Structures are given as C-alpha cells and as structure tokens.
C-alpha cells in the first residue's frame, strides 16, 4: 500500500502553534506521515541567497525568511511528541548538518532530502550515519546526478527511496513526469514514489495507479493564505479525499483480476445473458429469418443468443406465439 505523506513545509509561517494545529488536523485525514522542513538560517544560508518566489514584502531577504521559519530544539521535541501521540510518522527535511542534530534530539523517524540537497554529500553522510530511512527527491536532478547520489547512498548501505518530482509550482500536467516512476524503479531497484506539486487530487491517484509506493503532497488550510507553496497544495478536505482514493487504488493493485476465470460471475451471467425468442407469431413449417428473432433474459430458457446463426433457414416443428423462447426441439 502506498505510504502517504502530508508536506507542511512553511505553511505554518513560523508559528509553532499553527504547526501543532496542522498536526492535529492532518491526523484526521488518514495520512501515514507528516513532513516538515527544519531550517537553521545561519547554518544553511547567507544574505546572498535570492528569493525563489517573492511572495511577501515582510522579509527583506531570503535569509530573513529562513530565520523566521526556525523553531527551537525544545519546540522540535514537542513537535515530535505530538506526531507520535496522534499516530503520524514524523518526517522532516534538514537543510544543514546542524538541523540533523536538532532532529535527532526530536527523535525524527525518517529523513527527506529535498531536491536541492541531493548533491550535498556532506549532508547525506550526516543523515546516513543516523541509520534512519531516507527519502530523496529527484526534482532538479538529471539521471547523471541521480546516479552519483544513488551510488553514494548504496556505498554507505543507506536505507533509501526516491521520489519522482518536478520542481515547478504548481506543476502542470505536461510536466508531471509520471513515466519516470517506473523508469527509476528499473534503474535503481529501490522503492519509488511521487512528490506532487500539482494541487490536484487526480495526480496523486494516477501516480499510485502507475506504481508509486510513496505519495507526498503539500497541504494547506486554505489557498487564501500566503506562502511559497500555497498554490501547489491540497486543502485538508482534499487530502482526506485523496487518502481514501489512494487506499482504494492500493487495495486494487494488491488483488489483480484474472480475466481467464469468470467463475465468480456464473450466477450473474445466467441472469443477464439471453436466450433466443421469436418476435411474432410463426406457423409450423416456417423458415426462420434474422428479422424473426429477439434475445430475451434469462439464459437457459431457449437457444443461446450467441448461436443465432445456426437457426437461420431452419423450419419450425410447431406453431410459436410472439415472444416465445426458441428451443432445439422447436426446429427441424
């Protein structure tokens, strides 16, 4: 069954109380895990970092924004406890080695490596050394780069999976890259999932149907809020609908149907399939034509409708009334 991850990112806007509200509400949607981002501005960034999206004038620099998104070690510990209490797997993306140290104190259960970090082998080594499962995002990487990262992780015996992801917010259908899911499976032989930025329920359903073993998607309380990922996110109600759909699709994939065996439908076939009948009064000795025939439910009260050709041109042994079933004993 696909493992579902609700990505909160910076939807909390730096307010730890709001983050805890997300944990509480997300837990009710049925997702398996909740994912955050752990930022320590001094360790990961500088005043020279440009904005990806200038979504507000509140922050003079991108560095200032990351500073506002920070939480203390004590706050992260409480976040981890809250996730455990409501039954959500606690996942976060560290953006520095210092952030890994914080997350270890908070007892994070899995690590997510953002697409901008997968060539950061310094960070990868720090995360690998924790011994915890790692999910890497392939959003900004070509296969050549992924080969190096996968090689590094395998060399260090890491327990990892890969997500197909397109770093575009929101992602349009022509850029989903759903075909890449199975390409990555064939290339690397590890679990592969899909990280979605489309803000569409259908995208996640399609990804799971095509083999995604992990499904990650952004979640926001409503799309009127501000933030870099708002337009790429699902609402809480949409998340609930998506999770139900994904569980159904996952269940279906575990139970392939054998179209060579229809024994389970024999009783229904008896009801719905039809027998030959005549559509008008016909006299004994009459030669049957196509236009004299009709097919009526149920099967077994006359010659099978599939065998109509063998009665054409045959003469009746007796008179038949309109809508009488036609049986073998009625024809010469």
């Amino acid at each position: 069954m696909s493992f579902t991850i609700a990505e909160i990112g910076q939807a909390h806007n730096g307010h730890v109380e709001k983050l805890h509200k997300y944990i509480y509400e997300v837990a009710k949607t049925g997702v398996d895990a909740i994912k955050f981002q752990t930022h320590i501005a001094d360790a990961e960034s500088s005043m020279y970092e440009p904005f990806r999206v200038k979504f507000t004038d509140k922050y003079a620099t991108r560095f200032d924004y990351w500073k506002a998104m920070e939480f203390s070690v004590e706050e992260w510990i409480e976040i981890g406890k809250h996730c455990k209490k409501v039954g959500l797997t606690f996942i976060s993306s560290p953006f520095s080695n210092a952030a890994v140290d914080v997350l270890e104190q908070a007892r994070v259960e899995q690590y997510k490596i953002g697409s901008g970090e997968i060539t950061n082998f310094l960070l990868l080594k720090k995360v690998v050394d924790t011994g915890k499962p790692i999910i890497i995002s392939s959003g900004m990487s070509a296969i050549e780069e992924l080969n190096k990262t996968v090689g590094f992780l395998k060399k260090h015996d890491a327990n990892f999976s890969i997500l197909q992801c397109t770093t575009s917010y929101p992602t349009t259908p022509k850029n989903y890259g759903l075909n890449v899911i199975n390409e990555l499976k064939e290339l690397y032989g590890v679990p592969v999932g899909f990280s979605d930025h489309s803000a569409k329920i259908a995208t996640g359903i399609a990804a799971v149907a095509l083999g995604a073993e992990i499904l990650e998607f952004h979640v926001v309380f409503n799309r009127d809020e501000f933030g870099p990922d708002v337009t790429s996110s699902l609402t809480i109600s949409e998340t609930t609908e998506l999770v139900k759909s994904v569980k159904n699709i996952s269940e279906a994939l575990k139970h392939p149907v054998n179209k060579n065996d229809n024994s389970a439908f024999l009783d229904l076939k008896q009801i719905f399939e039809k027998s030959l009948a005549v559509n008008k009064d016909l006299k004994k000795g009459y030669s049957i034509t196509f236009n004299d025939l009709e097919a009526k439910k149920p099967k077994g009260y006359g010659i099978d409708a599939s065998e109509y050709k063998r009665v054409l041109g045959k003469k009746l042994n007796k008179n038949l009334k309109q809508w009488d079933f036609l049986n073998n004993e009625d024809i010469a």
Side-chain angles (χ1 to χ4, degrees), residues 14-115:
H15 303 293
V16 73
E17 299 84 1
K18 189 172 184 179
L19 183 149
H20 280 286
K21 186 177 179 183
Y22 267 110
I23 295 173
Y24 177 77
E25 293 297 333
V26 163
K28 295 189 287 187
T29 68
V31 298
D32 299 301
I34 189 166
K35 191 187 89 65
F36 308 101
Q37 296 180 11
T38 304
H39 294 282
I40 300 175
D42 289 323
E44 74 177 67
S45 187
S46 71
M47 299 296 289
Y48 304 104
E49 181 189 1
F51 271 97
R52 173 170 65 82
V53 178
K54 183 70 174 177
F55 56 90
T56 177
D57 292 328
K58 184 177 179 180
Y59 308 106
T61 67
R62 183 76 160 161
F63 178 88
D64 293 333
Y65 175 68
W66 296 133
K67 201 76 176 171
M69 296 302 111
E70 291 182 8
F71 297 119
S72 68
V73 173
E74 292 73 24
E75 286 171 327
W76 277 114
I77 290 171
E78 290 306 310
I79 289 166
K81 288 179 179 178
H82 192 178
C83 292
K84 185 174 183 179
K85 181 179 178 181
V86 297
L88 292 171
T89 298
F90 172 29
I91 304 175
S92 192
S93 294
F95 291 86
S96 62
N97 285 22
V100 176
D101 290 332
V102 170
L103 288 169
E104 283 300 291
Q105 292 182 72
R107 297 186 178 180
V108 72
E109 295 172 82
Q110 294 185 30
Y111 284 94
K112 165 74 185 299
I113 304 300
S115 60

Side-chain angles (χ1 to χ4, degrees), residues 184-256:
L184 293 176
K185 285 186 180 184
E186 292 174 6
L187 275 172
Y188 302 124
V190 298
V192 173
F194 186 78
S195 181
D196 183 30
H197 301 133
S198 71
K200 299 285 189 298
I201 293 172
T203 314
I205 295 171
V208 171
L210 290 170
E213 298 163 74
I214 302 166
L215 181 63
E216 178 192 63
F217 43 88
H218 283 266
V219 177
V220 70
F221 284 137
N222 67 75
R223 295 194 185 95
D224 294 328
E225 299 189 21
F226 75 92
D229 302 314
V230 170
T231 60
S232 310
S233 302
L234 297 177
T235 64
I236 295 292
S237 61
E238 288 171 335
T239 298
T240 301
E241 184 178 345
L242 173 60
V243 171
K244 287 179 180 177
S245 299
V246 164
K247 286 181 177 178
N248 287 337
I249 295 299
S250 295
E251 184 70 11
L253 292 173
K254 289 194 301 184
H255 297 89

Side-chain angles (χ1 to χ4, degrees), residues 4-18:
T4 50
I5 305 171
E7 157 77 91
I8 303 306
Q10 275 74 251
H12 50 71
N13 293 318
H15 303 293
V16 73
E17 299 84 1
K18 189 172 184 179

Side-chain angles (χ1 to χ4, degrees), residues 244-294:
K244 287 179 180 177
S245 299
V246 164
K247 286 181 177 178
N248 287 337
I249 295 299
S250 295
E251 184 70 11
L253 292 173
K254 289 194 301 184
H255 297 89
V257 171
N258 179 6
K259 288 297 285 183
N260 291 313
D261 178 12
N262 68 346
S263 57
F265 301 101
L266 293 180
D267 289 342
L268 281 176
K269 284 171 68 65
Q270 190 70 25
I271 294 171
F272 285 100
E273 292 189 356
K274 295 181 175 180
S275 305
L276 287 178
V278 295
N279 60 20
K280 59 179 71 72
D281 291 347
L282 297 175
K283 298 288 188 180
K284 179 180 178 180
Y286 180 81
S287 293
I288 301 170
T289 70
F290 180 87
N291 292 327
D292 299 320
L293 299 174
E294 186 54 271

